[in-house]
Amino acid sequence: MKLLHKDIEKDNAGQVTLVPEEAEDMWHTYNLLQVGDSLRASTIRKVQTESPTGSVGSSRVRTTLTLCVETIDFDTQACQLRVKGTNIEENQYVKMGAYHTIELELNRKFTLAKKNWDSVVLDRIDQACDPTQRADVAAVVMQEGLANLVLVTPAMTLLRAKVEVTIPRKRKGSCTQHDKGLEKFYEAVMQAILRHINFDVVKCILVASPGYVKDQFTTYLFNEAVRQDNKILQENRPKFMLVHSSSGHKYSLKEVLSDPTVTNRLSDTKAAGEVKALEDFYKMLQHEPDRAFYGCFSQFQCLICFVRHQDIPTRSRYVRLVDNVRDNGGTDVSPFDLFWTVSPELTQLSGVAAILRFPIADLSDAEDNSSSDED
């Protein structure tokens, strides 16, 4: 993401102009957008024209519209973002108040205006515009006949390829068809790796499976690399790391990232950091329950929260919570994203979880009483 212009006033109102440069930038933009925001961007509009003879025709024209955002639709697989709203600025093709849908495009700038740019949203812009924030981990989670290739980025996990090949069973006295099926499967996975992994950016490629599937695949992969004289695979061989997983399904990725050997290898990536944060919380909940709570509490040492929320009061409450933790010396604040590996677990904890600085028994009762007094 490229930041072209930023104009935020003292009252936190203002606008920014951004250019999404890659697919993941659409995810960042999705997190920036809220209902009620003003979005200005180039779009295609179908307009009707009438000739001097009275005949009516239609044509598609490119124009720039400013919409008041009403609905936001994000396709996670295609990384496409569509925003629907009403036109709020004079335009020769679109009447004031008319509905239109803008599909944001890569390498086309847009301007987003808000009445209140909170700290979480501003942090998101800093993260998205930091050129060092890229997908530095890739994972191939596989079993015989099934493989999921995933890119682990600072913001989310992106499924880039799913390979499914039917592999015949071994027959008594003959394994020929089985071996041919495996070879076809391994070839498809290799092509997916070459197509979807940027070896200039990725620091580590995890290959995970139950049993010996991962070992057999990597043997095939590098034998083929030598046979085909594929310099890219040969030069990046040290980046490949074999890990055990219980299955080849995508949900096994959390299990893979939680492996201590993987955590050590990926110690400088956000992916490992967020998994460790959640693990620390569960350990604290088990061994020192008076220091681990979920809900909305004060005196946090470590905050884990899901802040992608369209309800303004709820979002504002989460943002104030984040700011309070930082202002009071909280050691870590980790906003987790909806599509991140661990988020399904986090949403079961009411969206917010915390490790406290010191044990406080019956904290939830105190908070409940406090809320009742305020009401």
Side-chain angles (χ1 to χ4, degrees):
M1 187 90 78
K2 182 184 295 183
L3 178 64
L4 298 182
H5 179 74
K6 182 178 179 181
D7 182 18
I8 309 295
E9 303 293 337
K10 291 183 178 180
D11 62 355
N12 291 327
Q15 63 183 30
V16 298
T17 301
L18 299 162
V19 179
E21 297 178 303
E22 58 185 23
E24 190 183 342
D25 291 339
M26 292 302 179
W27 165 249
H28 288 299
T29 304
Y30 169 70
N31 279 275
L32 295 175
L33 286 166
Q34 289 178 266
V35 173
D37 289 347
S38 169
L39 176 68
R40 182 176 178 82
S42 173
T43 185
I44 300 294
R45 179 76 173 185
K46 186 177 181 180
V47 297
Q48 288 189 335
T49 57
E50 184 174 347
S51 69
T53 61
S55 62
V56 177
S58 64
S59 61
R60 294 167 63 85
V61 298
R62 181 168 288 279
T63 185
T64 299
L65 291 181
T66 303
L67 303 182
C68 178
V69 177
E70 291 193 7
T71 60
I72 307 159
D73 178 30
F74 181 60
D75 184 338
T76 60
Q77 297 302 317
C79 281
Q80 292 180 337
L81 182 59
R82 296 179 182 88
V83 182
K84 182 180 179 180
T86 53
N87 182 36
I88 58 174
E89 285 191 8
E90 193 79 24
N91 186 279
Q92 68 181 105
Y93 300 114
V94 185
K95 295 180 181 179
M96 291 282 288
Y99 279 93
H100 186 79
T101 299
I102 292 178
E103 183 172 319
L104 294 179
E105 303 175 53
L106 292 179
N107 301 310
R108 284 193 180 275
K109 70 178 181 179
F110 66 86
T111 298
L112 178 63
K114 291 177 177 287
K115 295 179 181 178
N116 179 43
W117 287 88
D118 60 51
S119 61
V120 173
V121 176
L122 292 174
D123 283 349
R124 170 71 66 172
I125 291 179
D126 291 340
Q127 178 189 6
C129 296
D130 183 350
T132 64
Q133 299 289 332
R134 294 293 185 268
D136 54 3
V137 179
V140 181
V141 187
M142 62 194 308
Q143 62 190 47
E144 280 198 2
L146 172 66
N148 287 281
L149 192 155
V150 179
L151 296 182
V152 184
T153 76
M156 64 190 294
T157 53
L158 296 170
L159 177 64
R160 274 293 169 253
K162 184 175 183 179
V163 179
E164 291 182 283
V165 174
T166 301
I167 300 176
R169 293 183 178 180
K170 293 181 179 179
R171 293 186 178 183
K172 188 175 182 180
S174 176
C175 298
T176 303
Q177 295 303 314
H178 175 79
D179 292 344
K180 285 183 177 179
L182 271 180
E183 185 173 339
K184 181 180 177 182
F185 171 58
Y186 292 156
E187 171 65 19
V189 177
M190 183 179 78
Q191 292 304 320
I193 289 173
L194 292 172
R195 186 162 52 251
H196 295 288
I197 292 180
N198 183 348
F199 288 94
D200 292 332
V201 174
V202 169
K203 299 176 182 177
C204 180
I205 301 103
L206 304 172
V207 182
S209 78
Y212 295 99
V213 177
K214 59 185 181 299
D215 306 88
Q216 294 168 356
F217 167 69
T218 51
T219 298
Y220 171 88
L221 180 68
F222 293 113
N223 284 342
E224 284 297 297
V226 173
R227 188 180 70 83
Q228 299 177 17
D229 195 26
N230 188 310
K231 300 297 185 184
I232 294 177
L233 287 175
Q234 293 181 56
E235 292 171 358
N236 287 278
R237 184 167 186 166
K239 293 182 179 180
F240 284 78
M241 181 178 182
L242 305 187
V243 192
H244 172 78
S245 68
S246 58
S247 78
H249 296 280
K250 186 185 173 185
Y251 62 76
S252 294
L253 182 59
K254 179 187 178 294
E255 170 193 350
V256 172
L257 292 173
S258 300
D259 188 295
T261 57
V262 174
T263 304
N264 292 336
R265 176 78 176 266
L266 308 182
S267 58
D268 59 343
T269 68
K270 187 184 179 190
E274 293 190 347
V275 171
K276 185 178 184 301
L278 194 63
E279 283 186 342
D280 289 345
F281 171 78
Y282 279 122
K283 287 179 182 178
M284 190 65 71
L285 191 63
Q286 181 179 2
H287 299 293
E288 296 185 63
D290 287 345
R291 287 186 58 200
F293 285 87
Y294 50 89
C296 282
F297 305 101
S298 55
Q299 304 299 323
F300 286 178
Q301 178 190 33
C302 173
L303 174 69
I304 308 168
C305 64
F306 167 56
V307 295
R308 175 62 193 170
H309 210 294
Q310 287 295 346
D311 180 67
I312 301 300
T314 301
R315 180 185 175 87
S316 298
R317 184 156 51 97
Y318 282 167
V319 171
R320 287 197 303 271
L321 194 57
V322 170
D323 291 339
N324 287 338
V325 171
R326 288 170 172 161
D327 292 343
N328 288 286
T331 57
D332 190 22
V333 179
S334 303
F336 280 71
D337 290 305
L338 178 61
F339 296 99
W340 171 236
T341 307
V342 296
S343 289
E345 295 187 21
L346 188 58
T347 53
Q348 295 174 13
L349 300 178
S350 303
V352 180
I355 297 175
L356 310 186
R357 289 196 183 96
F358 46 83
I360 302 179
D362 301 324
L363 177 60
S364 55
D365 293 338
E367 291 286 340
D368 290 341
N369 293 335
S370 176
S371 300
S372 300
D373 293 341
E374 290 178 2
D375 294 340

